[in-house]
């Protein structure tokens, strides 16, 4: 242990971890290695090299932040696991500007006293959606929860069986309804709900007709759902609240026809939805936030609700959201990364794919790869089907381009694991036996990052062929 602790590679970590921690981590790595040996693992490296390799890599993991940047080469624009929408430059600057100093978060400069946290963005949301009033909370789940708590606690909410969705692995409409204190009344069948199903279910106890965007799934074949207009008319004739959970809220038309098919917040409100809820970090392209927009008396009720205190948003989020909305206000939405990616020009993607392909071929050609059979190792440009993501348009794809790497004996899974564990992790798509780097979701500078990571992966693989990369 003393020998290991005094080696230069270990001493290099003293600064950030301290000697005692370094010692503990080396012990941990040794224990893991012993465990692998007992379990019968075979290694082609000499034991002393293996020890150094394991200890150093664990030290590297422990000394760096685990929440860190990655390159999204999956072609899924709004990738929930990778942080959904990357923010626009202006939004980033706004976060920076208000975070290290005091700010007007809840202070009115006119009154010289208490101001409203919501006031920074409410007028912008109203301007962009045509709503009378608006309120922001932590995310769309919180928006649905608050909206239902304020309008339907102790009363009934009627919702179609075909819309009892689960989004991600944790948002389930029936469960949110329970939390809000409302009673769920599911009507119709999985594939078909008529306006009469809603009408017949209304009782004195009914408070809300709820429409939920199915988002991440589609039912094919015979499908009948009730239109927004019909529901709005029914709700209004019976003095009920018509509420719509849109998921992805769209604030303007985009240059891709299928994207405009649904989600436009302004249209929903115009058609008679009393309340709509949507996320800030899906199609809108801003920070994680939930928006409730619609009728003033209903929003006012939510503003007074105790739950709001638990769901309120932080100054960094508000700064980013206000800046993002201001980009829409001046019709510069092309500056919002997710919109730029969704609207990306196909010939532009092809040009970038060719350029990346050339560079990766260069990397491969410059390395000696004894273990890779030159014959089945290939880098080429391919067409891809990219996705909007974020639980929207599950069956529509955006035609794009990517760089395919076929690594024969190494295998796509091993190569993908190598990319993931590189100093700058690259998350790629795996299709059958090949790995595909989708161009659409790359941000400026990502080409360089991918090239560096590819170099690192191949280097590592040629240096330590006997060490299986994690799968
Ligand atoms: C994404 C989504 C949600 C959850 O929104 P979060 O912002 O992730 O909390 C709820 N409803 C629908 C229809 C969605 O698409």
């Amino acid at each position: 242990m003393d020998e290991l602790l005094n080696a230069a590679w270990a001493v290099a970590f003293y600064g950030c971890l301290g000697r005692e921690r370094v010692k503990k981590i080396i012990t941990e790595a040794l224990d893991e290695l012993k465990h692998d040996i007992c379990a019968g693992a075979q290694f082609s490296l000499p034991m002393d090299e293996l020890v150094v390799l394991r200890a150093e890599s664990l030290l590297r993991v422990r000394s760096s932040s685990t929440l860190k940047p990655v390159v999204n080469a999956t072609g899924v624009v709004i990738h929930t696991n990778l942080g959904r929408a990357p923010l626009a430059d202006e939004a980033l600057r706004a976060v920076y500007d208000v975070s290290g100093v005091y700010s007007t978060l809840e202070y009115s400069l006119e009154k010289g006293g208490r101001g409203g946290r919501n006031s920074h963005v409410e007028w912008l949301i109203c301007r962009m959606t045509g709503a009378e009033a608006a309120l922001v909370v932590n995310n769309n789940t919180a928006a649905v929860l608050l909206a239902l708590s304020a309008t339907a606690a102790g009363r009934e909410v009627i919702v179609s069986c075909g819309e009892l969705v689960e989004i991600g692995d944790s948002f389930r409409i029936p469960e949110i309804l329970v939390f809000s204190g409302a009673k769920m009344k599911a009507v119709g069948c999985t594939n078909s709900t008529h306006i009469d199903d809603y009408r017949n279910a209304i009782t004195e106890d009914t408070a809300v007709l709820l429409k939920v965007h199915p988002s991440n799934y589609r039912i094919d074949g015979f499908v009948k759902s009730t239109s927004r207009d019909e529901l709005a008319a029914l709700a209004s004739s019976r003095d009920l609240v018509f509420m719509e959970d849109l998921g992805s809220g769209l604030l303007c038309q985009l240059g891709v026809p299928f994207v405009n098919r649904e989600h436009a917040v302004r249209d929903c409100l115009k058609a008679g939805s009393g309340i709509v809820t949507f996320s800030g970090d899906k199609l809108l392209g801003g920070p994680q936030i939930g928006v409730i927009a619609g009728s003033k008396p209903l929003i006012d009720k939510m503003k007074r609700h105790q739950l709001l205190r638990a769901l309120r948003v932080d100054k960094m989020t508000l700064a980013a959201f206000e800046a993002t909305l201001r980009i829409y206000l001046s019709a510069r939405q092309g500056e919002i990364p997710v919109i730029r990616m969704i609207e990306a020009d196909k010939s532009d993607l092809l040009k970038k794919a060719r350029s990346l392909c050339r560079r990766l071929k260069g990397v491969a050609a410059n390395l000696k790869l004894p273990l890779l059979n030159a014959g089945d190792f290939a880098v080429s440009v391919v067409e891809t089907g990219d996705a909007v993501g974020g639980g929207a348009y599950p069956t529509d794809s955006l035609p794009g381009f990517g760089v395919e790497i076929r690594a024969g004996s190494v295998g796509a899974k091993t190569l993908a694991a190598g990319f993931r564990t590189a100093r700058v992790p690259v998350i790629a798509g795996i299709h059958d036996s090949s790995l595909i780097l989708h161009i659409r979701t790359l941000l400026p500078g990502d080409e360089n990052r991918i090239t560096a990571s590819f170099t690192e992966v191949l280097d590592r693989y040629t240096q330590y062929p006997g060490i299986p990369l994690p799968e």
Side-chain angles (χ1 to χ4, degrees), residues 103-117 119-120:
S103 67
T104 54
L105 180 64
E106 280 187 6
Y107 188 82
S108 159
L109 296 174
E110 291 76 33
K111 289 194 286 186
R114 190 183 183 80
R117 173 182 297 250
S119 63
H120 304 289

Side-chain angles (χ1 to χ4, degrees), residues 126-285:
C126 293
R127 185 75 66 85
M128 293 312 304
T129 62
E132 281 173 13
L135 182 58
V136 288
V137 286
N138 186 46
N139 56 17
N140 186 36
T141 306
V144 175
L145 176 62
L146 176 60
L148 289 172
S149 303
T151 55
R155 300 181 65 198
E156 285 170 2
V157 173
I158 301 180
V159 59
S160 159
C161 283
E163 295 174 0
L164 297 177
V165 297
E166 173 176 284
I167 308 218
D169 58 3
S170 52
F171 178 90
R172 285 180 161 188
I173 277 289
E175 280 158 37
I176 300 291
L177 265 158
V178 169
F179 275 122
S180 75
K183 282 175 273 181
M184 182 179 83
K185 206 171 202 185
V187 298
C189 298
T190 303
N191 61 331
S192 161
T193 307
H194 297 265
I195 188 70
D196 283 341
D197 294 325
Y198 291 90
R199 185 177 293 121
N200 297 337
I202 296 174
T203 68
E204 283 194 343
D205 238 7
T206 307
V208 173
L209 302 186
L210 175 65
K211 188 170 178 65
V212 181
H213 197 280
S215 285
N216 55 3
Y217 74 100
R218 188 125 301 151
I219 302 175
D220 276 332
F222 175 76
V223 180
K224 166 107 180 58
S225 65
T226 309
S227 76
R228 178 174 296 132
D229 298 305
E230 284 177 295
L231 282 169
L234 176 61
S236 137
S237 73
R238 306 292 286 269
D239 218 12
L240 302 173
V241 174
F242 174 36
M243 170 176 157
E244 194 164 5
D245 173 22
L246 283 175
S248 264
L250 196 58
L251 297 186
C252 64
Q253 293 277 301
L254 299 190
V256 179
F258 77 76
V259 175
N260 297 319
R261 204 172 56 210
E262 44 196 343
H263 297 297
V265 177
R266 185 179 287 275
D267 295 346
C268 300
L269 289 170
K270 213 185 321 180
S273 302
I275 292 288
V276 297
T277 61
F278 54 95
S279 298
D281 53 354
K282 288 185 177 172
L283 280 173
L284 200 150

